[in-house]
Amino acid sequence: MEKLSDEKLMALFQQGDMHAFEALLERHRRPVYRFIRRQVGHPTTAEDLLQDVFLRLVHRADSFERRSKFTTWLYTIARNLCIDHLRKAVHRRTSSLDQPLAQGEGEDVTLLSRLAGDDPAPDREAHNRRLRECLQRAVDALSQEQREVFVMREDAGLPFEEIARIVEAPVNTVKSRMRYALQNLRTRLEAEGFEP
Amino acid sequence: MDCKLADESLVDLLYEELSPDRRQALEAHLEGCARCAGELARLRGVLRVVRDVPLDEPAPQVSERILRLARAARDSGERGAAARAASEAGAAAPLGRLWRWSWSPALVAVMLGLVVVAVGLVAFQKLQQPSPELVQDAREVWAPPPAPAPAAPRSEARKEAVADEAPAAPAVPGGTGTARPEPGVGLDHFSFGDQDAAGRAVAARGVAGPEQLRPEERAPERPAAEPAYRPGPAKAPAGEKVRAKAEAQGWDSDGSGVAREERAEGRPEPGTAGVLGGVWKEDAVDPRYAQPPPPADKPAEAAKPADGPRPAVARPAPKPSPDSAADRDLAENAQHARRAGRELRGAESGTLAGEGAEAEAKTSKKAEARPVVPAPAPEPARVAESRPAAAAPAPEGELGSGGADEVTAQVGSDEELAATRSKDGAADDAGRKGGGGQARRDDGLLARGERLLAAGDPAGAADALGAFLRAAPGDPRAPAVRFRHARALFLAGRCAEAVTATRQALAARPAHPSAGEALLDQASCEVRLGRFQDAARTYQRVEREHPELAGEARRGLERLPQ
């Protein structure tokens, strides 16, 4: 199973082989989760969407054509679910980084102050945690187009041509988005005190 | 290579997607261009930082959960396909059997025999009574307008002969020859034998339509609350008896099939098939499913399809037969109940519900007395305020929080399984008695909720399971369903409701197998709602009470803002 291509595994799953599905899940759950996690920000939401992606894969397995590339199909599903989620999230009340937290916690306590923290991180783990938070904020600040290209290339390792098929844009456009994404991330990280 | 082209190729160089020729050209350019080289260095620096951050991983439970749900969905899909195939085969089977049976040698012999006898009878009649006068009499009797021709007195033998030769149509209102039923139409109401009998009766008195019936012959009005499934006489020996019986059961003596009380009220009855306004026509509504709309103030009565007044089309024909509408309804009620039981058992063993559950749920929504909870609003807190009923289930029972197949594992105790099975049996019994509508709807809601949850529609599942809990708070499965309901609310993003539902489910069954996962869900919801202190307490509770989930709880605590 481990040496079989994604497409071969998918073909086996279409014939009812659940071990093939298990192999696909094990192979892709991390990169797909990272892709979703970067898109939606929240880990629990990302896990829920990860579940939705693979369940949709199950329900639509028959629609997968063997000549297609599996990762293109999979990330198209993931991308669509993320877009749906983000559209819905626009209508939900979201906590502003600058608004005071719950009543009784003081006017000066905001989510931003909690997230950033003023104390320098004494150890590596704390440093990583802070860097991760900063990076997540920087990624969040990217435009949707730049973010998805950055995550698919950097976290999921998809080639630009495949990303272009997923987002339905020319390859050069995708590369431009990647370039701008890296430049914007650099600007944000520098502003947070991390010199790239 | 110039700076513009080099600038466009930097990303390719970063990700090693350049052809050897272009790579060589770009590297040559970078050696002589400090600006482009500096830009490349900065981009590499960004990537270093990005790659320095450890990547998140999904929790191990997520993979297990996905696998469980995938298996359940796959199984249900296969079972659904098999059920559809079986259904199609089942639909075709009676036709196939009929086709095979119709060509059996025995039947062919019988049919040939009947043809020979019929030809013999006709020939005998022609030999015995070939009088042209008789034919003339018949023309006078059946010629429009309906008034009988003032013919010379005829012998009773002649009248009977006319009746025998006349078609069965005289039982149809009007009887004028302009609105006769097509053969085979309206068989739910009259068998051919009955029509013949009625025709003979009318013809014997020389009348052409119901308007000529004597008033004293009319049977008294049928009481409105007459039992629906009163069997009729086995055989109507004479026309008068047939007419009296028909009237006694609410049919006008014209045989129109229109109940007298409906006509008196001036409203058509749903699903009525028969002669309306002197024209014989079939209603598009299948009479088996035609039921009067439930009165707003009597929903419980509406939930009992076999009780109370029935539509005219569902009344039994005078002669009981396996094809009668009443028998079909009765058999169908029992079949519905058995199907609901099968669906429920299927849901508990990981099977997703069959197609019928959705129809059941729709029916239940129509008949439900209490107001249906509206669709969820986007904002969870407002939802919680506007939907107190959905967020306040009664505390009892248990069930899981995973996929549909988890129900089997988490319904858990033998007592609960026994209770479930006994409920299935009760539903069957109630269905046979015609009073299983409520149980069917409850089972349909539960099966629908599980199916939607497994199909990735947690909002729909939450609504269906919430409706089940409101409709059957005392059901032995309710405690387990509460955990499923909370899970569905969590997955649907209705966090405030999910927190409330989880707390109440846990208060009733703190030792439920899904308690730990439910607490994790609750903590996630509290995070989403910005209640970080509550979330921290919930995660700490998971650490204390559910060591197997302590790792997940610790990760949750780490993710919380300091």
Side-chain angles (χ1 to χ4, degrees):
Chain A
M1 285 286 180
E2 292 176 359
K3 294 180 180 177
L4 293 177
S5 69
D6 291 339
E7 290 72 25
K8 181 66 179 169
L9 287 172
M10 193 61 201
L12 290 172
F13 176 57
Q14 284 176 324
Q15 295 165 11
D17 188 344
M18 280 305 292
H19 293 295
F21 175 79
E22 207 169 334
L24 286 169
L25 175 64
E26 180 58 28
R27 191 178 291 179
H28 291 285
R29 67 184 177 93
R30 290 184 185 86
V32 172
Y33 171 78
R34 287 168 200 149
F35 170 73
I36 298 170
R37 169 84 167 82
R38 295 279 197 212
Q39 297 285 317
V40 302
H42 196 279
T44 309
T45 307
E47 289 177 350
D48 292 343
L49 287 175
L50 176 70
Q51 173 180 307
D52 293 346
V53 167
F54 280 95
L55 286 182
R56 192 167 286 193
L57 184 152
V58 171
H59 287 295
R60 299 186 180 176
D62 293 339
S63 68
F64 177 74
E65 297 176 2
R66 292 191 67 175
R67 65 174 182 273
S68 306
K69 191 164 172 53
F70 174 77
T71 46
T72 304
W73 187 61
L74 181 66
Y75 279 90
T76 302
I77 292 174
R79 178 175 180 260
N80 290 339
L81 282 171
C82 286
I83 289 172
D84 289 346
H85 173 81
L86 293 171
R87 279 180 185 154
K88 289 175 190 169
V90 168
H91 300 291
R92 291 181 189 147
R93 189 177 63 185
T94 53
S95 299
S96 166
L97 291 178
D98 296 324
Q99 81 179 38
L101 289 176
Q103 291 181 351
E105 294 191 15
E107 293 288 320
D108 297 333
V109 181
T110 65
L111 187 57
L112 180 61
S113 65
R114 279 186 168 181
L115 288 173
D118 294 331
D119 298 334
D123 53 23
R124 178 71 180 168
E125 187 180 347
H127 171 79
N128 279 343
R129 186 184 303 173
R130 183 162 169 256
L131 179 58
R132 186 167 53 224
E133 291 168 356
C134 288
L135 182 61
Q136 182 61 53
R137 283 197 296 277
V139 172
D140 288 346
L142 295 175
S143 70
Q144 166 71 20
E145 289 84 3
Q146 293 174 19
R147 186 169 56 237
E148 66 184 6
V149 169
F150 167 76
V151 176
M152 276 191 268
R153 188 65 189 85
E154 184 58 32
D155 288 346
L158 299 182
F160 287 122
E161 280 197 8
E162 191 171 349
I163 296 172
R165 281 196 294 272
I166 293 169
V167 303
E168 296 176 330
V171 178
N172 284 335
T173 303
V174 169
K175 289 177 181 174
S176 294
R177 289 176 185 172
M178 185 69 191
R179 171 78 184 277
Y180 288 124
L182 291 174
Q183 287 176 339
N184 288 332
L185 286 176
R186 179 168 167 267
T187 304
R188 294 282 304 192
L189 289 171
E190 282 179 347
E192 297 263 1
F194 291 96
E195 286 292 333
Chain B
M1 179 177 283
D2 59 6
C3 286
K4 184 175 182 298
L5 190 57
D7 203 48
E8 290 174 356
S9 303
L10 288 178
V11 170
D12 290 327
L13 184 64
L14 283 173
Y15 289 100
E16 305 291 339
E17 289 195 14
L18 276 177
S19 64
D21 293 345
R22 286 193 66 189
R23 180 187 181 94
Q24 196 172 2
L26 179 59
E27 286 176 345
H29 175 81
L30 290 173
E31 285 178 4
C33 181
R35 194 196 72 82
C36 290
E39 181 65 13
L40 178 64
R42 283 188 288 274
L43 292 177
R44 279 192 168 136
V46 175
L47 285 182
R48 249 196 320 273
V49 171
V50 168
R51 291 169 183 173
D52 195 33
V53 176
L55 292 169
D56 293 332
E57 294 232 347
Q61 292 92 336
V62 177
S63 295
E64 295 165 11
R65 196 167 63 207
I66 291 171
L67 276 175
R68 279 200 308 269
L69 291 173
R71 287 196 184 98
R74 195 72 180 176
D75 291 347
S76 73
E78 288 171 0
R79 275 194 283 271
R84 280 191 294 275
S87 171
E88 289 167 6
L95 290 175
R97 281 197 299 271
L98 184 62
W99 182 255
R100 288 192 298 274
W101 183 73
S102 65
W103 288 107
S104 67
L107 182 67
V108 171
V110 169
M111 289 173 70
L112 282 174
L114 285 174
V115 168
V116 169
V117 170
V119 170
L121 281 175
V122 169
F124 178 75
Q125 279 190 340
K126 284 186 179 294
L127 287 173
Q128 293 296 316
Q129 299 176 342
S131 168
E133 183 187 352
L134 181 62
V135 177
Q136 180 61 33
D137 284 349
R139 284 179 184 152
E140 288 167 357
V141 167
W142 293 106
R154 292 185 294 270
S155 67
E156 288 300 313
R158 282 181 180 179
K159 289 177 186 173
E160 287 296 332
V162 169
D164 286 342
E165 288 185 4
V172 178
T176 61
T178 59
R180 293 180 187 175
E182 293 295 325
V185 175
L187 294 184
D188 281 347
H189 317 299
F190 283 98
S191 69
F192 282 122
D194 298 328
Q195 287 180 329
D196 287 341
R200 280 194 298 273
V202 173
R205 283 188 279 117
V207 296
E211 62 275 11
Q212 298 183 25
L213 288 173
R214 293 186 296 273
E216 63 271 18
E217 291 179 349
R218 293 179 181 272
E221 294 287 326
R222 185 177 70 86
E226 183 180 358
Y229 298 126
R230 191 178 59 191
K235 177 68 180 175
E240 292 294 332
K241 284 187 178 180
V242 169
R243 184 167 46 78
K245 288 282 183 186
E247 290 191 2
Q249 295 186 16
W251 298 89
D252 267 358
S253 55
D254 58 8
S256 66
V258 181
R260 198 176 298 114
E261 51 268 47
E262 263 75 50
R263 294 206 303 197
E265 291 170 15
R267 61 178 172 85
E269 191 165 16
T272 300
V275 176
L276 298 175
V279 178
W280 188 273
K281 59 184 178 183
E282 282 184 308
D283 197 293
V285 179
D286 189 332
R288 290 173 297 175
Y289 301 111
Q291 291 186 8
D297 55 341
K298 293 183 178 180
E301 289 181 14
K304 297 177 181 177
D307 294 336
R310 303 281 298 182
V313 290
R315 288 184 189 129
K319 184 171 70 175
S321 78
D323 293 333
S324 70
D327 289 345
R328 278 203 306 273
D329 272 5
L330 200 59
E332 197 166 17
N333 282 340
Q335 194 175 5
H336 270 299
R338 283 192 292 273
R339 189 175 59 184
R342 279 198 300 274
E343 286 171 358
L344 180 65
R345 284 188 288 272
E348 287 175 347
S349 61
T351 307
L352 304 179
E355 296 293 327
E358 202 162 331
E360 295 292 337
K362 285 178 183 172
T363 309
S364 72
K365 279 188 179 176
K366 288 177 184 173
E368 236 176 4
R370 55 181 68 82
V372 177
V373 177
E379 208 291 297
R382 288 182 199 160
V383 170
E385 290 167 6
S386 64
R387 302 182 51 168
E396 59 178 330
E398 67 177 65
L399 202 120
S401 67
D405 60 339
E406 211 174 62
V407 181
T408 301
Q410 294 175 2
V411 162
S413 67
D414 293 337
E415 294 82 3
E416 284 173 340
L417 287 172
T420 302
R421 290 184 188 118
S422 68
K423 183 172 178 60
D424 290 349
D428 284 359
D429 293 339
R432 289 185 200 102
K433 292 172 185 172
Q438 185 66 44
R440 282 208 312 273
R441 276 193 299 277
D442 295 346
D443 293 345
L445 284 170
L446 183 56
R448 175 179 167 78
E450 291 297 335
R451 187 177 67 247
L452 290 175
L453 194 56
D457 182 5
D463 289 341
L465 295 175
F468 170 83
L469 290 171
R470 288 191 299 277
D475 190 287
R477 298 162 295 182
V481 174
R482 294 193 192 289
F483 280 91
R484 309 287 292 153
H485 182 225
R487 176 71 182 164
L489 288 169
F490 165 70
L491 292 175
R494 289 149 63 174
C495 293
E497 293 173 87
V499 168
T500 306
T502 305
R503 283 181 180 159
Q504 293 185 349
L506 287 166
R509 291 288 175 89
H512 188 275
S514 294
E517 284 195 10
L519 279 170
L520 287 176
D521 288 350
Q522 179 183 330
S524 297
C525 286
E526 288 163 342
V527 170
R528 289 187 203 183
L529 293 169
R531 302 176 193 163
F532 300 115
Q533 291 179 348
D534 290 343
R537 279 194 289 271
T538 307
Y539 279 129
Q540 288 161 1
R541 181 179 170 188
V542 174
E543 279 188 312
R544 281 197 314 272
E545 298 177 3
H546 303 279
E548 75 280 4
L549 298 173
E552 178 70 6
R554 271 195 298 277
R555 279 193 292 276
L557 280 170
E558 287 174 5
R559 286 195 294 261
L560 286 177
Q562 296 301 312

